[in-house]
Amino acid sequence: LATVLASGPKIDPNAICWGLHQLATALNFLAECSLCLCNLSLATIFVTKSGDWRLGAFEFAGPLQNVPDSMRSIATLAPGLTGLLPPECNSGRFSPGSEPVHAIDSFMLGKVIEELFGVESTSQALLSQDHKLPEPLRPLVGAMRGMDPARRPTPSQLLESAFVAESQYVRVLLYLEELPLKTPEAKEKFFSNLLPRIASFPASVQISKMLPLFLNELDLGAVGARVLGCILAVGHALSPDQFEARIVPCVVKMFGSKERSIRAQLLQNLETYHQHLDPKLVTREIWPQLISGFSDTSPALRELTIKSMVFFIPKLPGKLVAQQVLQYFAALQTDAVPGIRTNTTICLGLVAQYIDSPNRAQILLSAFTRAMRDTHAPSRVAAVDALASSMSLYDVEFLATRVIPRQQHHDHRP
C-alpha cells in the first residue's frame, strides 16, 4: 500500500473505504481469536490487482500474553516500527492481563487511516488537520489514537461506522462476493441496478474482480441478458487485446443463444464492440447464428437485426451480401411492421457501397422504387434519402434514363 500511495495518483475514497472494510474484517477475526497482529502499517498491507487489501507481516502476531516478547523482537528486528506502536508499548507499561486484545492493532489502524488521508500525527498537527478525515471517521480515529487502551474502538466499530456501513461501493462489492448464494430474481435486480454504475468503479476492480464473476454468472445462465450487459460495459476498461481474449469468445457463444433477451442485448450494444470482431469470425461463426433474426416472430428482434447490418455488412464478403443479405432485405421491405420496412430502406442506403454485384445499380433502384410505393410515409421519405445518398454509385446514363424518371414518377405523392 505504501508503494501504491507513493507511485500513483491519490487513491479514490471509495477504494479506501473498501480497503478499510477488509482490514477491519481481518483484524476483527484476529481479535475474536484472542490474537494481536502487532505489525500494521502502510508497508505491511498488500494491494491485489482487483483492489483488495490484505494483511501481511505476521512475524510478531500472537496471543496477547506474548506481546511483551513481540515488543522486544520489534525493537531488535524492526526498530523503525517502534514509532508506530501505542505509547503503553514504548513506555513499558503494557500489561497483558488488563489490556483489550484489540488495543494495539486499533491504535496502529488509526495511524494507517491518518496517513491515508494525509494527516500528520504530531500532537499539534493532529488538531489542525482533523478536517482532512471524512467526518464520520473523525471521532473514531481520535479514539483509536487515544492514550487509554481500554477506550480504543474495536475493528467491528469501524465496520459499523457510517463511512463504511453506508458506502454503496462497499455494498456492491460485498454483494458480488456473495453472488453465488443469491436467487436468480435477486441477481437480475442487482445487475439491472449495477449496469449504469459500472463505469464509476476503478478499471482494476472492473477487470480483475467484476469480470470473472460476470463471466461465471453468464455460464450459469440464470440471468444471461442482464449480466451480458454488464460484461460489455466492463469491455470499455479493457485493452483491444484483452477484449479479444476475454469478451469476444463470450460474444460469439451468446450469438448462438435461443434466448431473445440475450440476442437483443448483443445487438443493442453492437456499436460498442463491433470493431473487435474479425471479419472471418463474423462470416464463419456469427452470421449463421444471426440470420434467424430476420424472420423471428418478434418485431423488436427483426428490427434490431436489420439495424445491426450497418456494422456487420462491411465485415461480410461482397458475394455473400449480394446472394444472401439482399434476399432478407427484400423480404423485410414487405414486413407487416411499418418501422421495419422504413429501417430496412435506411440500412440499404447506408450499406449500398458494399454490395458486390454487376447489377448493383438495378438492385438498389428496384428496392428504393418499391419503398417509394409504400403506404407508410416515413418509408417513402427514407427511400428518397437513400437514393440520394447512393447517387455516386450510378453512372450518368443510368441516372438519366432510369433513376430520375422513376423518382419523378413518385414526386407527386404527398
Side-chain angles (χ1 to χ4, degrees), residues 100-118:
V101 68
H102 66 272
I104 295 176
D105 291 341
S106 178
F107 184 91
M108 302 181 86
L109 180 59
K111 171 64 175 176
V112 166
I113 296 174
E114 289 175 350
E115 292 181 334
L116 285 170
F117 290 98

Side-chain angles (χ1 to χ4, degrees), residues 225 228 254-270 273 289-309 312 328-329 332 335 337 339-341 343-344:
L228 180 59
M254 289 300 104
F255 266 108
S257 172
K258 302 301 181 183
E259 189 176 334
R260 284 196 178 106
S261 58
I262 290 180
R263 297 173 66 187
Q265 190 74 249
L266 287 168
L267 297 175
Q268 288 169 345
N269 290 280
L270 187 57
Y273 67 84
Q289 306 294 342
L290 183 66
I291 56 178
S292 63
F294 290 112
S295 56
D296 197 280
T297 56
S298 167
L301 195 58
R302 293 202 303 277
E303 186 164 12
L304 285 171
T305 302
I306 194 67
K307 288 180 178 180
S308 72
M309 291 300 102
F312 281 126
Y328 294 116
F329 273 49
L332 288 175
D335 195 278
V337 180
I340 292 179
R341 300 198 301 270
N343 282 320
T344 300

Side-chain angles (χ1 to χ4, degrees), residues 216-243:
N216 182 61
E217 284 299 316
L218 190 63
D219 288 338
L220 295 176
V223 284
R226 298 294 185 185
V227 73
L228 180 59
C230 293
I231 290 172
L232 295 175
V234 172
H236 292 290
L238 299 173
S239 68
D241 289 342
Q242 289 175 320
F243 195 102

Side-chain angles (χ1 to χ4, degrees), residues 65-83:
Q65 57 266 28
N66 293 349
V67 167
D69 294 331
S70 296
M71 297 304 105
R72 287 189 287 273
S73 298
I74 290 173
T76 304
L77 302 175
L81 187 61
T82 56

Side-chain angles (χ1 to χ4, degrees), residues 45-296:
I45 298 169
F46 296 91
V47 182
T48 68
K49 289 183 179 180
S50 60
D52 294 329
W53 293 10
R54 300 285 185 251
L55 292 179
F58 282 77
E59 297 91 336
F60 308 120
L64 198 62
Q65 57 266 28
N66 293 349
V67 167
D69 294 331
S70 296
M71 297 304 105
R72 287 189 287 273
S73 298
I74 290 173
T76 304
L77 302 175
L81 187 61
T82 56
L84 303 177
L85 293 170
E88 65 271 17
C89 293
N90 289 321
S91 64
R93 293 184 290 105
F94 183 79
S95 175
S98 61
E99 310 293 357
V101 68
H102 66 272
I104 295 176
D105 291 341
S106 178
F107 184 91
M108 302 181 86
L109 180 59
K111 171 64 175 176
V112 166
I113 296 174
E114 289 175 350
E115 292 181 334
L116 285 170
F117 290 98
V119 176
E120 297 179 14
S121 294
T122 60
S123 56
Q124 293 182 345
L126 190 58
L127 295 176
S128 63
Q129 297 184 41
D130 184 61
H131 65 279
K132 293 183 179 180
L133 292 171
E135 188 170 352
L137 287 180
R138 292 173 191 172
L140 195 67
V141 173
M144 285 179 173
R145 300 287 284 164
M147 299 293 288
D148 185 356
R151 303 182 67 175
R152 290 177 194 148
T154 64
S156 61
Q157 288 177 267
L158 176 58
L159 294 174
E160 296 165 0
S161 69
F163 180 73
V164 175
E166 297 179 8
S167 168
Q168 291 298 319
Y169 186 94
V170 170
R171 289 179 181 179
V172 167
L173 295 184
L174 285 176
Y175 198 99
L176 283 173
E177 292 188 344
E178 301 169 356
L179 202 57
L181 305 177
K182 304 299 182 180
T183 64
E185 295 76 16
K187 290 179 182 179
E188 185 165 349
K189 181 179 179 181
F190 171 74
F191 285 122
S192 297
N193 294 331
L194 177 62
L195 181 57
R197 299 166 53 193
I198 285 180
S200 65
F201 288 81
S204 60
V205 174
Q206 293 183 49
I207 296 170
S208 300
K209 194 176 192 69
M210 291 183 165
L211 185 57
L213 291 170
F214 294 166
L215 292 173
N216 182 61
E217 284 299 316
L218 190 63
D219 288 338
L220 295 176
V223 284
R226 298 294 185 185
V227 73
L228 180 59
C230 293
I231 290 172
L232 295 175
V234 172
H236 292 290
L238 299 173
S239 68
D241 289 342
Q242 289 175 320
F243 195 102
E244 291 177 17
R246 305 185 69 177
I247 305 295
V248 169
C250 162
V251 167
V252 173
K253 179 181 177 182
M254 289 300 104
F255 266 108
S257 172
K258 302 301 181 183
E259 189 176 334
R260 284 196 178 106
S261 58
I262 290 180
R263 297 173 66 187
Q265 190 74 249
L266 287 168
L267 297 175
Q268 288 169 345
N269 290 280
L270 187 57
E271 186 176 0
T272 67
Y273 67 84
H274 72 94
Q275 67 274 18
H276 299 288
L277 300 177
D278 179 75
K280 292 182 179 179
L281 184 69
V282 171
T283 304
R284 186 178 63 252
E285 299 190 43
I286 294 180
W287 173 252
Q289 306 294 342
L290 183 66
I291 56 178
S292 63
F294 290 112
S295 56
D296 197 280

